[in-house]
Structures are given as structure tokens and as C-alpha cells.
């Protein structure tokens, strides 16, 4: 663990050079099954579960490049812990997008920031392109199955032991929507998850639903009409409410149908719209209040909870939507993208007046936030973990822990190492919120390979690292399951 006053001065190569972390945005070619990775340090004896992650790993096909980090074809990675050893498997996800691209030797379906090249006449005949099922963003338990997901609502089921792609998840309902979030919320008291779909139309609708832990039928909670849907990657949940944070990044639906541009390039930043917090009662579906704040943007919410007549919502904020442009592959690979992390902010929503007032909780940059979800979500809490920047504009070069009550921070970093999302795993019978470990896949740019890092979550000190014999391209999200065979009991997810 170390502490420091703030981000250090920029120490990056000049523009148009190749920064050391750029190898994390190159196409991966290796698939492997390894019974025991080389291990430095000692694992906690109680760590006997499995970490499964997904992320983009193939960034070109037939010489045709994908344009955005979010577009690369998905690869699954699995780390399992047993008897002091760490085993490893990685496999490409055999989605329709992946299989069609390899069969045709070119990009087959449009992605977040990439279009599949089609003629004007073909677009005229079929203005809505076939949706991608390139599930490269998160891992989730749905029903009694494990799935990989993207923002198109067609999760892909895979075998958690072998990572073999199996089938599409069979939703047993007719709730409509073309996009969704990959971050549903799990309500352990009600034994269900909450999420929403955006159905494009005139008007479009936010369709909020619940689904029981062990079934595949979604139940509509609320259907909220909206003229210009906002781009929202996540949402917030408190004990009683679902909160949609509508940023002023708004969809031009006609453009989506006719422009031929990639999906995200049909959204426009509209400063005058501000940011709207739509608060929905989880039980009745009633919109109980809409609060408005200054314009800002966020990918990830951290937590939300109720306090007297207020809702407190913590998220990772950016002043505008420019961060999306910064994450195109060309600026990432040339070191011109700037920081890929925002600031931890808290918004206080007054459910009487409708005021929404924000405050910055830390001067540190942070992204890909995780908390002790099962204990702390929708409740007052202390700690958030994430990636951040030690050196300005150096992509994500450290892990950070922030105490949201005091602003106190702690860090882990290593020279030319670039960590991914820190997944918190609670110790058995833990008494403290931060009693456990953090798991993070780290790129070692000097050695040109990745390793799995294990930190003590309280002290942020290193416990162990397991070396992977190749580079795992930078991923987004994953989940830890307490069982070495997660298919046995998906209900124990430690989101």
C-alpha cells in the first residue's frame, strides 16, 4: 500500500508513438488450458472458487479493422483456485458475429463503433442492421445458467468449466427492446434481478423489468415513454427504487435508421438537456420523482442508498461524452486518448424538491468500480475499488481504493503494469466490509504477458500473482463464484 498527494505529471511518449500499454489492444491468437500457472506468493487457504471474465480480443478480421475498444470479438478467461494452485482457460466466444466474420473473412455485423460495410441499396431494403451478439462486456448468472453479455439483449450461454459456447439464453416472455445494460442489479431480499430494455419507436420506451433468480421469465415493472433515449451503460438501485440517470447524450433515431453510421455515432451531446434522474418505485412501477442536475456523463454507477428524504447516488463522472471518443482504438494505440478514468461523485436527490446536487468525493481518477456488492449494495457503505492513473494520460496504471466517507485513498501499482477491473471477494465470516481480497488481471508491458494479481483488500498489499504465458487484451468485467465449478450454484454470485 502507498499513499500520495495526487496524479503525477504527464510522462508519456509524444503523440503518434506507441505507448507500452498498446499491446493490450492487439488481437489475441492463443487459446490455452493450463492446470497450474506459475505462482509467486501464497493464496489464502479459503480461496477455492472461480473468476470468469470477458472482453474484446480480436480487433481485425480479414485485414478489416474494428474501430472502437468496445467492438473487438469476445474472448472468455477463467481462473480457478484450488489447493493453493491457479488453473487457467481462455476461449473465443463462438457468437454468431464471431462465426460469420470468420466464415466471410470480414466484419459481418455492426458493433458499438464499427459498421459492417453494406451498399446503399441493402441499407434501404433493411435499414436496421442485424444486431451483434458479440458478448464481450460482462459475465452474469441468469436463471440457472452462466452467460456472457453485451448491450444487445441476447446473452450467450457457455459451459463454465470448459468455456465452450452453448446457446442463446431463452427468455420466456415478449418484453421488447433493442438495447439493454450489462449491469443488472441483484435484489437478494426479493430474490430477483432488475434491469431494463430500451425499445426504439415513436415514442421509444424504457422497459424496466424484474426476473427471478431461477427462471427465465421477465416481468414488466414500468414502461416509460421517451422521445430521445439517452445512452446509459448502467443504472442505480436503492432498497425501494430504480434510478435511471439520463445523460444529455441522446439518440437521433432517424439517423440510426438511415445514416449508415456506427450505433454510438447516432447519439448527440445536448448540453441544454441537462442530466435527469428518473426515480421509479420497484414495487409499483410509479415514477415518483424526476430530478435534474448539470450535464455530465458516466459509464458506471457505484452504489445508491436512501437517507431520510434523499437518495444518494455514487457514480464515476465525466464532464461530457468525449470519453467515448477517447476509447476508439486509434487514439488508444497512439497515446492520444487521455485518461480512461473519471471522478467519483455523489449526487444527492431530494425527493421532495426534485433538486440534484453533486459533490466530488475524491480527487483521484477511478473507473471500473467494484464494491462488496452483496453486503453493501443499496446501503450506506465505505469502500469502492477501481483502476486509475498514477501518471497523467498513461491509461490505467494503478488500482485505487477510496473511502467514500473520509476520502482516504490507498493504491497498488508496479512499473509499466496496467491493471484491469478489481473484483472484490469477501473472506469467509468477514466482519469488516473490506475484509477479503481483490482479483485483477494485469498487463505487464515489459514482459509482454499478463498475470492475475491478488491483493489484500484492506491493506492493498500484494499477496500473490499467477503468470499467464501470453497477453490477455484489456477486458471489461467479470465475476467471482465461490465454487470451483460455478455451474453447481450460481445463486452465490459475488457481483
Amino acid at each position: 500500500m502507498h499513499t500520495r498527494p495526487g496524479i503525477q505529471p504527464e510522462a508519456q511518449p509524444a503523440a503518434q508513438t506507441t505507448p507500452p500499454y498498446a499491446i493490450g489492444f492487439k488481437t489475441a491468437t492463443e487459446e490455452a488450458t493450463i492446470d497450474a500457472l506459475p505462482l509467486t506468493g501464497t493464496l489464502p487457504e479459503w480461496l477455492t472458487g472461480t473468476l470468469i471474465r470477458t472482453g474484446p480480443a480480436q480487433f481485425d478480421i480479414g485485414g478489416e479493422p474494428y474501430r472502437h475498444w468496445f467492438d473487438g470479438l469476445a474472448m472468455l478467461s477463467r481462473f480457478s483456485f484450488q489447493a493453493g494452485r491457479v488453473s487457467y482457460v481462455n476461449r473465443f466466444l463462438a457468437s454468431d458475429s464471431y462465426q460469420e466474420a470468420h466464415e466471410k473473412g470480414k466484419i459481418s455485423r455492426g458493433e458499438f463503433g464499427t459498421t459492417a460495410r453494406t451498399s446503399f441499396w441493402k441499407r434501404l431494403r433493411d435499414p436496421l442492421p442485424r444486431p451483434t451478439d458479440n458478448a464481450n462486456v460482462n459475465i452474469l448468472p441468469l436463471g440457472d445458467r452462466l452467460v456472457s453479455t453485451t448491450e444487445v439483449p441476447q446473452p450467450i450461454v457457455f459451459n463454465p468449466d470448459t468455456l465452450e459456447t452453448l446457446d442463446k439464453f431463452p427468455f420466456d416472455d415478449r418484453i421488447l427492446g433493442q438495447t439493454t445494460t450489462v449491469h443488472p442489479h441483484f435484489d437478494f431480499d426479493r430474490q430477483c434481478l432488475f434491469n431494463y430494455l430500451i425499445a426504439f419507436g415513436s415514442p421509444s420506451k424504457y422497459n424496466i423489468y424484474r426476473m427471478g433468480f431461477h427462471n427465465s421469465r421477465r416481468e414488466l415493472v414500468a414502461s416509460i415513454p421517451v422521445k430521445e433515449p439517452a445512452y446509459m451503460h448502467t443504472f442505480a438501485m436503492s432498497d425501494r427504487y430504480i434510478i435511471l440517470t439520463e445523460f444529455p447524450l441522446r439518440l437521433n433515431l432517424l439517423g440510426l435508421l438511415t445514416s449508415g453510421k456506427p450505433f454510438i455515432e447516432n447519439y448527440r451531446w445536448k448540453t441544454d438537456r441537462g442530466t435527469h434522474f428518473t426515480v421509479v418505485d420497484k414495487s409499483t412501477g410509479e415514477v415518483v420523482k424526476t430530478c435534474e442536475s448539470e450535464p455530465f456523463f458516466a459509464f458506471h454507477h457505484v452504489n445508491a442508498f436512501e437517507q431520510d428524504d434523499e437518495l444518494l447516488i455514487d457514480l464515476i463522472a465525466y464532464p461530457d461524452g468525449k470519453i467515448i471518443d477517447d476509447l476508439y482504438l486509434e487514439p488508444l494505440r497512439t497515446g492520444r486518448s487521455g485518461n480512461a478514468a473519471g471522478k467519483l461523485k455523489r449526487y444527492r436527490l431530494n425527493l421532495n424538491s426534485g433538486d440534484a446536487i453533486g459533490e466530488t468525493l475524491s480527487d483521484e481518477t477511478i473507473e471500473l468500480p467494484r464494491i462488496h456488492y452483496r453486503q453493501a449494495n443499496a446501503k450506506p457503505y465505505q469502500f469502492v475499488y477501481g483502476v486509475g492513473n498514477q501518471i497523467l494520460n498513461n491509461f490505467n496504471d494503478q488500482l485505487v481504493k477510496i473511502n467514500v466517507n473520509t476520502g482516504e485513498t490507498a493504491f497498488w501499482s508496479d512499473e509499466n503494469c496496467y491493471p484491469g477491473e478489481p473484483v472484490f471477494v469477501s473472506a469467509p465470516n468477514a466482519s469488516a466490509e473490506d475484509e477479503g481480497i481483490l482479483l485483477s488481471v494485469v498487463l505487464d508491458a515489459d514482459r509482454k504477458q499478463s498475470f492475475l494479481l491478488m491483493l489484500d483488500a484492506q491493506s492493498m498489499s500484494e499477496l500473490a500473482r499467477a503468470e499467464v504465458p501470453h497477453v490477455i487484451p484489456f477486458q471489461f468485467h467479470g465475476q467471482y463464484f465461490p465454487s470451483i465449478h460455478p455451474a453447481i450454484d450460481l445463486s452465490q454470485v459475488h457481483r
Side-chain angles (χ1 to χ4, degrees), residues 109-126:
R109 301 191 181 197
E111 301 290 341
F112 181 86
T114 302
T115 54
R117 295 178 184 174
T118 56
S119 69
F120 170 79
W121 296 109
K122 186 172 182 180
R123 293 202 309 271
L124 194 63
R125 291 193 306 270
D126 186 15

Side-chain angles (χ1 to χ4, degrees), residues 318-331:
Y318 300 85
D320 53 39
K322 181 180 178 295
I323 181 63
I324 293 175
D325 297 331
D326 289 342
L327 300 180
Y328 277 87
L329 287 167
E330 194 275 334

Side-chain angles (χ1 to χ4, degrees), residues 62-313:
E64 187 178 359
Y66 290 97
R67 299 176 63 234
H68 202 279
W69 181 21
F70 298 178
D71 296 343
L73 295 172
M75 176 177 277
L76 304 175
S77 301
R78 179 186 194 270
F79 297 88
S80 292
F81 311 93
Q82 190 173 40
R85 295 182 297 111
V86 182
S87 62
Y88 171 74
V89 181
N90 71 312
R91 294 284 184 272
F92 278 103
L93 187 72
S95 64
D96 290 344
S97 295
Y98 176 88
Q99 295 183 84
E100 289 174 8
H102 280 263
E103 289 168 2
K104 297 178 180 180
K106 64 178 183 179
I107 296 171
S108 174
R109 301 191 181 197
E111 301 290 341
F112 181 86
T114 302
T115 54
R117 295 178 184 174
T118 56
S119 69
F120 170 79
W121 296 109
K122 186 172 182 180
R123 293 202 309 271
L124 194 63
R125 291 193 306 270
D126 186 15
L128 278 177
R130 286 178 302 162
T132 182
D133 63 345
N134 177 29
N136 65 2
V137 189
N138 204 1
I139 301 296
L140 295 171
L142 290 183
D144 292 311
R145 310 179 197 198
L146 206 56
V147 301
S148 192
T149 62
T150 186
E151 291 180 332
V152 174
Q154 185 50 78
I156 297 181
V157 181
F158 63 91
N159 183 316
D161 292 319
T162 65
L163 304 187
E164 176 190 4
T165 303
L166 299 177
D167 205 348
K168 305 292 178 67
F169 184 83
F171 288 114
D172 184 23
D173 59 67
R174 295 187 178 182
I175 298 180
L176 299 178
Q178 286 75 47
T179 65
T180 187
T181 78
V182 299
H183 296 279
H185 276 290
F186 294 83
D187 189 320
F188 297 104
D189 291 334
R190 294 172 175 86
Q191 286 290 292
C192 68
L193 63 82
F194 288 89
N195 205 347
Y196 69 89
L197 299 157
I198 302 180
F200 299 141
S202 182
S204 297
K205 295 180 180 179
Y206 300 136
N207 288 328
I208 300 172
Y209 67 85
R210 67 171 63 88
M211 189 174 86
F213 283 166
H214 299 290
N215 63 53
S216 57
R217 178 178 289 273
R218 297 169 293 188
E219 177 186 352
L220 191 65
V221 173
S223 186
I224 304 171
V226 56
K227 184 178 179 181
E228 295 178 305
Y231 176 71
M232 299 179 288
H233 181 71
T234 57
F235 65 102
M237 184 185 79
S238 70
D239 180 45
R240 292 184 291 169
Y241 302 115
I242 298 296
I243 306 98
L244 303 183
T245 308
E246 298 179 82
F247 313 106
L249 187 60
R250 298 282 182 161
L251 176 65
N252 179 341
L253 183 56
L254 181 61
L256 180 66
L257 296 174
T258 61
S259 70
K261 294 180 180 179
F263 171 77
I264 195 58
E265 293 179 14
N266 293 289
Y267 285 78
R268 294 291 179 267
W269 185 258
K270 298 189 174 185
T271 303
D272 61 323
R273 295 290 296 272
T275 296
H276 296 262
F277 297 88
T278 301
V279 182
V280 181
D281 188 292
K282 289 160 72 172
S283 298
T284 67
E286 176 190 3
V287 176
V288 299
K289 185 63 78 172
T290 298
C291 305
E292 184 174 353
S293 76
E294 81 283 0
F296 71 92
F297 178 74
F299 285 116
H300 295 110
H301 287 75
V302 177
N303 201 1
F305 56 93
E306 300 154 28
Q307 192 173 81
D308 299 324
D309 292 331
E310 289 186 323
L311 263 175
L312 277 60
I313 298 179

Side-chain angles (χ1 to χ4, degrees), residues 203-489:
S204 297
K205 295 180 180 179
Y206 300 136
N207 288 328
I208 300 172
Y209 67 85
R210 67 171 63 88
M211 189 174 86
F213 283 166
H214 299 290
N215 63 53
S216 57
R217 178 178 289 273
R218 297 169 293 188
E219 177 186 352
L220 191 65
V221 173
S223 186
I224 304 171
V226 56
K227 184 178 179 181
E228 295 178 305
Y231 176 71
M232 299 179 288
H233 181 71
T234 57
F235 65 102
M237 184 185 79
S238 70
D239 180 45
R240 292 184 291 169
Y241 302 115
I242 298 296
I243 306 98
L244 303 183
T245 308
E246 298 179 82
F247 313 106
L249 187 60
R250 298 282 182 161
L251 176 65
N252 179 341
L253 183 56
L254 181 61
L256 180 66
L257 296 174
T258 61
S259 70
K261 294 180 180 179
F263 171 77
I264 195 58
E265 293 179 14
N266 293 289
Y267 285 78
R268 294 291 179 267
W269 185 258
K270 298 189 174 185
T271 303
D272 61 323
R273 295 290 296 272
T275 296
H276 296 262
F277 297 88
T278 301
V279 182
V280 181
D281 188 292
K282 289 160 72 172
S283 298
T284 67
E286 176 190 3
V287 176
V288 299
K289 185 63 78 172
T290 298
C291 305
E292 184 174 353
S293 76
E294 81 283 0
F296 71 92
F297 178 74
F299 285 116
H300 295 110
H301 287 75
V302 177
N303 201 1
F305 56 93
E306 300 154 28
Q307 192 173 81
D308 299 324
D309 292 331
E310 289 186 323
L311 263 175
L312 277 60
I313 298 179
D314 295 354
L315 44 75
I316 310 302
Y318 300 85
D320 53 39
K322 181 180 178 295
I323 181 63
I324 293 175
D325 297 331
D326 289 342
L327 300 180
Y328 277 87
L329 287 167
E330 194 275 334
L332 282 172
R333 288 166 170 166
T334 57
R336 296 188 296 104
S337 65
N339 292 327
K343 291 296 181 70
L344 176 63
K345 293 196 70 174
R346 170 168 291 176
Y347 281 83
R348 294 180 179 271
L349 277 55
N350 188 305
L351 297 183
N352 292 321
S353 68
D355 293 337
I357 300 174
E359 62 176 319
T360 300
L361 298 182
S362 173
D363 290 333
E364 292 296 332
T365 58
I366 184 172
E367 203 25 293
L368 301 176
R370 298 295 291 251
I371 62 174
H372 184 169
Y373 186 88
R374 186 139 195 169
Q375 175 180 312
N377 192 61
K379 301 178 180 68
Y381 73 113
Q382 277 189 280
F383 302 110
V384 56
Y385 314 90
V387 298
N389 295 98
Q390 181 179 24
I391 300 173
L392 190 66
N393 295 333
N394 192 34
F395 197 58
N396 299 319
D397 60 7
Q398 70 174 0
L399 294 171
V400 58
K401 173 186 180 181
I402 300 175
N403 185 321
V404 301
N405 297 323
T406 67
E408 182 182 1
T409 53
F411 309 89
W412 175 92
S413 65
D414 202 354
E415 186 174 2
N416 276 339
C417 286
Y418 300 90
E421 173 192 52
V423 176
F424 177 81
V425 181
S426 177
N429 304 313
S431 57
E433 181 185 320
D434 60 347
E435 187 177 347
I437 67 169
L438 298 176
L439 302 175
S440 174
V441 176
V442 181
L443 170 67
D444 184 333
D446 290 337
R447 301 183 67 181
K448 294 182 173 55
Q449 64 185 76
S450 298
F451 62 89
L452 179 66
L453 174 69
M454 288 144 274
L455 296 182
D456 181 290
Q458 291 186 312
S459 65
M460 294 294 283
S461 59
E462 183 169 336
L463 299 174
R465 60 175 69 182
E467 296 181 3
V468 178
H470 54 247
V471 168
I472 300 174
F474 291 123
Q475 300 170 318
F476 299 124
H477 304 292
Q479 309 297 339
Y480 174 81
F481 302 90
S483 172
I484 188 99
H485 299 292
I488 294 172
D489 187 3

